[in-house]
Amino acid sequence: MKYFFLLVFSILITQPIFGQYKLTIIQEGSKAQLLSAPWVYGVNTYASEPRRINDSTIEYSIENITEPTWLCIIIDTVRHGDTNLMWNWLARLWISPEIKHRELIINYTTKTVKVKDFTKWRQTTKLDGKSKIAVNNLPVWDSIAELTDQLYRAQKDTEEQNLIISYVNQHPDSYLSLWLFGDSYALRLKSNDEKLALFNKLDPALQKYSLYHEIKADLTGRKYPNPGDTFKEFSLKDVKGKNFNSASIKNKWVLLHFWSNGCGPCVHEMDAMVSYYKTLDTSKIAFISLALDNNRDNWKKAATTQKIIWTNLWEPDGVDGDLSLNYNLYSMPFFVLFNNEKKLVIIQDGSDALDTTIKGYLSKVK
C-alpha cells in the first residue's frame, strides 16, 4: 500500500482549519452525466459538499490545507458485489496553500480531463551557481505524480525509481521531491542507505513540513513502540520556563499525556483529569503532560494549561518532536504508560483512555 493512501494523522482532530481553497470542476460532453458530482478527497483535507454553480459547473471548498496535497477526483465508479465501490475513471491534481483556486475540465464524451490553470506556485534559482531555473509549478507536479502512479501500476519499478531520483537531484527544494519519498513504492525497494543518501540532498528548508520529519524518522531507524520497550529520556521546559529532565524520575510508574489546547476532547476532559490526579499516590506515580501547541506563549496563557497541577511541559517541535515520532503519536489525547522500571506497559489514545484502560493499570500500583 502506497504512503499516499495512509491517512497520516487523519484522526488528529486537534488541527485548526487553515483556510479554504477552491476547486472548480467544469463538465462537458454527455448531458446525462452533468448532474453527477465527482467525489473529491485528499490526505488530511476536507472537501465540502459540492456547490452547483450551473448545469455544468460544480465548486468544492478544500479545507485544512497546511501542506501541498494531491487530490483524488473520482469521476466514475463501478460496484462489485453489494458493498465494494471501486473507481474506473479518476483524475488527480495538486492543491497548495499558495494556490487559492484550481480548475478542472472533465469531458464525459471523450473521457478526458484538462487542468485549467493560469498561475505557477513559485520559481527558485538553483543553488549550484548555474543560471538554471527550477520551476516548481503545480501542473508539472500533476504530471510527475501521475506518471509515477502509472509506472507503479505497470510494475515498472526501475523506470519509476529513475524518474524519482532524477527529479530529486534536479529539484532538491521541491515539496514534490519530499512527497515522492513517502508515496513511491519503487523507491522503497532501494536500500535504506541509498534512500537516506538521496534524502540528505533535500533542501533543509523542507524541514518546515511534517512529512520531512516523518520520513527522516523512518529512514534513520525509527522503531515503533512495543510493550517492554525502554523509556526514552527527555529534557523539556515547564510552564514556568524551568528545565525538567525525565531522568530525575526514579522507581515510579510514569504516565505521559500528549495533548493540545486545540484538541477539543483534551480540553473537555482536563477537569476530570485534575480530579483523578488528586487521588493518585504521587510517591509511586509520575504524571507528565506534554503540550503540542504551536505557540509557547499562547500555551502558557491558555486557561486549560493553567488547570494542570502536575508536571506541565511544552514540546517545541509538536507532532514532529522526537517523543511524538518515537511513540508513533497518531491522535490526541494520547497516553503512554510505563512501569516503575521504565518499561512500556501500554499506549492508548482517546478521551476515554483514562477510564477504559489507564485507571485500571494504575489502581494496581502499590
Side-chain angles (χ1 to χ4, degrees), residues 90-226:
L90 54 80
R92 295 189 180 94
L93 82 165
W94 281 94
I95 193 163
S96 166
E98 287 81 358
I99 299 295
K100 299 297 184 185
H101 187 196
R102 297 205 73 188
E103 293 184 349
L104 273 183
I105 300 175
I106 298 173
N107 190 303
Y108 289 94
T109 301
T110 60
K111 281 203 167 185
T112 57
V113 177
K114 291 191 299 183
V115 179
K116 184 182 178 184
D117 271 323
F118 50 87
T119 182
K120 293 178 180 179
W121 179 13
R122 65 186 177 95
Q123 291 186 332
T124 304
T125 303
K126 299 286 282 187
L127 301 177
D128 58 7
K130 298 180 181 179
S131 59
K132 295 178 181 179
I133 299 294
V135 180
N136 292 336
N137 64 79
L138 298 184
V140 170
W141 290 16
D142 293 334
S143 61
I144 295 291
E146 187 67 38
L147 180 55
T148 58
D149 186 67
Q150 291 172 4
L151 293 172
Y152 162 73
R153 293 176 185 278
Q155 297 183 339
K156 296 182 178 180
D157 297 332
T158 300
E159 290 184 40
E160 185 183 348
Q161 288 173 4
N162 291 338
L163 173 64
I164 293 170
I165 292 170
S166 175
Y167 188 86
V168 172
N169 283 325
Q170 294 180 49
H171 306 279
D173 63 339
S174 171
Y175 180 85
L176 180 61
S177 293
L178 173 63
W179 180 81
L180 287 168
F181 272 92
D183 180 76
S184 170
Y185 173 79
L187 193 59
R188 285 190 280 147
L189 297 177
K190 289 285 190 181
S191 71
N192 198 74
D193 288 344
E194 290 175 306
K195 288 182 291 187
L196 186 57
L198 185 63
F199 181 83
N200 287 335
K201 294 181 179 181
L202 294 178
D203 192 322
L206 294 173
Q207 293 181 29
K208 68 179 181 180
Y209 297 114
S210 296
L211 183 59
Y212 181 97
H213 300 276
E214 280 284 316
I215 294 173
K216 182 178 179 181
D218 287 334
L219 291 177
T220 53
R222 171 165 57 159
K223 179 179 179 293
Y224 286 89
N226 293 289

Side-chain angles (χ1 to χ4, degrees), residues 281-299:
D281 183 347
T282 56
S283 68
K284 299 175 181 177
I285 300 170
F287 200 157
I288 302 172
S289 282
L290 301 127
L292 307 182
D293 295 48
N294 293 328
N295 184 284
R296 176 179 173 81
D297 289 337
N298 291 343
W299 162 70

Side-chain angles (χ1 to χ4, degrees), residues 32-100:
Q33 297 289 338
L34 297 185
L35 293 179
S36 65
W39 180 33
V40 178
Y41 73 89
V43 178
N44 297 336
T45 65
Y46 306 94
S48 67
E49 289 296 318
R51 185 169 73 93
R52 185 163 291 282
I53 306 302
N54 53 47
D55 285 346
S56 62
T57 305
I58 298 171
E59 185 177 280
Y60 295 82
S61 291
I62 313 297
E63 299 179 342
N64 207 37
I65 301 288
T66 59
E67 300 182 5
T69 298
W70 204 32
L71 293 179
C72 183
I73 300 95
I74 299 178
I75 303 166
D76 191 17
T77 59
V78 58
R79 187 177 293 277
H80 298 286
D82 294 327
T83 58
N84 296 324
L85 193 65
M86 305 296 291
W87 56 84
N88 58 8
W89 183 32
L90 54 80
R92 295 189 180 94
L93 82 165
W94 281 94
I95 193 163
S96 166
E98 287 81 358
I99 299 295
K100 299 297 184 185

Side-chain angles (χ1 to χ4, degrees), residues 222-290:
R222 171 165 57 159
K223 179 179 179 293
Y224 286 89
N226 293 289
D229 285 354
T230 301
F231 186 90
K232 183 179 178 66
E233 302 290 357
F234 60 88
S235 180
L236 294 170
K237 294 188 182 299
D238 65 16
V239 73
K240 296 180 179 180
K242 184 180 178 180
N243 195 62
F244 174 85
N245 192 321
S246 63
S248 63
I249 303 173
K250 307 290 186 183
N251 301 317
K252 289 185 179 183
W253 283 60
V254 183
L255 179 62
L256 301 182
H257 165 234
F258 294 83
W259 75 291
S260 164
N261 279 285
C263 165
C266 301
V267 172
H268 180 73
E269 72 174 358
M270 195 59 76
D271 287 335
M273 288 180 65
V274 171
S275 297
Y276 173 62
Y277 175 77
K278 292 178 180 178
T279 69
L280 296 177
D281 183 347
T282 56
S283 68
K284 299 175 181 177
I285 300 170
F287 200 157
I288 302 172
S289 282
L290 301 127

